[in-house]
Amino acid sequence: MKRFAAGLLGLALSLCGGLLSSVYAADEAAAWDALRNGRAILLLRHASAPGFGDPADFRLDDCSSQRNLDARGREQARRWGELLRAQRFERLQLYSSRWCRARDTATQMDLGPVQPLPALDSFFATRARASQQTEELLEHINGLEQDATRVLVSHQVNITALTGIYPASGEGLILAVPLTSPATLLGRIAAP
């Protein structure tokens, strides 16, 4: 009897897992479609850059004074480029924090020019700016025409302030536009 019950439980879990993965795949497809049609943005946490925060001697104009992408991070960025090319976006606009690890993530995707956007800059060391900077990001994104696919590369603290989500390095969130705070999450894409 125990074997029979365990078998039924296994079958039920398998069916539920299959159903959930089908629902997730449909949700992910809908999220990509919203991004493709200008109804969403893709907000990425920069790819893998080992460490925490920035060194005490950090300077925005000197990448050697910052945490930078490691080999894994450069590979994540390259694979993001492949994934986005496979999605066949017509018009793509890339925005990035001015921090080297974010800018390098966007650049190494090899999808076109990267525009610096200070509203995406890390406020890890200046947390008092979180609300103001998040508002600046909302105003900037919501002030753009919805005529292109937009990919933004930022930092964990910025993304968490906007969404309440703690993304992994290289993880992407597809967020509905107009952008709100908290943002409306349409999909989470693990680092490829």
Side-chain angles (χ1 to χ4, degrees):
M1 184 58 124
K2 286 182 180 181
R3 275 182 145 165
F4 180 72
L8 282 178
L9 179 60
L11 178 62
L13 290 174
S14 176
L15 289 173
C16 287
L19 180 59
L20 287 176
S21 66
S22 296
V23 168
Y24 179 74
D27 287 348
E28 187 174 319
W32 282 112
D33 188 52
L35 182 63
R36 187 174 292 103
N37 293 310
R39 295 179 287 115
I41 61 163
L42 175 60
L43 179 59
L44 296 175
R45 179 178 177 186
H46 63 76
S48 177
F52 187 74
D54 283 295
D57 62 346
F58 161 82
R59 289 195 346 259
L60 194 56
D61 64 343
D62 181 4
C63 291
S64 69
S65 71
Q66 302 178 34
R67 280 192 307 125
N68 292 292
L69 299 182
D70 60 5
R72 181 173 164 243
R74 289 186 295 277
E75 180 64 17
Q76 285 174 338
R78 188 188 64 71
R79 286 193 315 257
W80 263 112
E82 290 173 0
L83 176 60
L84 291 169
R85 276 188 291 283
Q87 290 293 326
R88 302 187 189 280
F89 294 111
E90 299 270 327
R91 293 189 57 223
L92 192 70
Q93 292 181 345
L94 293 166
Y95 295 90
S96 172
S97 155
R98 295 176 294 171
W99 268 238
C100 295
R101 58 188 173 270
R103 188 181 67 224
D104 291 348
T105 298
T107 301
Q108 291 187 26
M109 286 187 226
D110 195 26
L111 296 170
V114 177
Q115 301 174 55
L117 181 57
L120 294 170
D121 289 352
S122 176
F123 48 73
F124 181 81
T126 55
R127 304 265 174 145
R129 284 199 36 81
S131 294
Q132 177 185 352
Q133 204 165 314
T134 300
E135 188 58 37
E136 290 169 7
L137 179 61
L138 293 172
E139 287 177 18
H140 181 85
I141 297 303
N142 292 335
L144 298 171
E145 290 187 33
Q146 294 178 2
D147 61 347
T149 300
R150 293 193 172 83
V151 177
L152 294 77
V153 183
S154 192
H155 305 266
Q156 175 271 311
V157 291
N158 303 64
I159 296 169
T160 301
L162 179 64
T163 66
I165 295 169
Y166 190 104
S169 293
E171 183 176 5
L173 305 178
I174 299 177
L175 306 173
V177 291
L179 201 55
T180 58
S181 184
T184 301
L185 178 67
L186 301 177
R188 286 181 81 163
I189 313 297

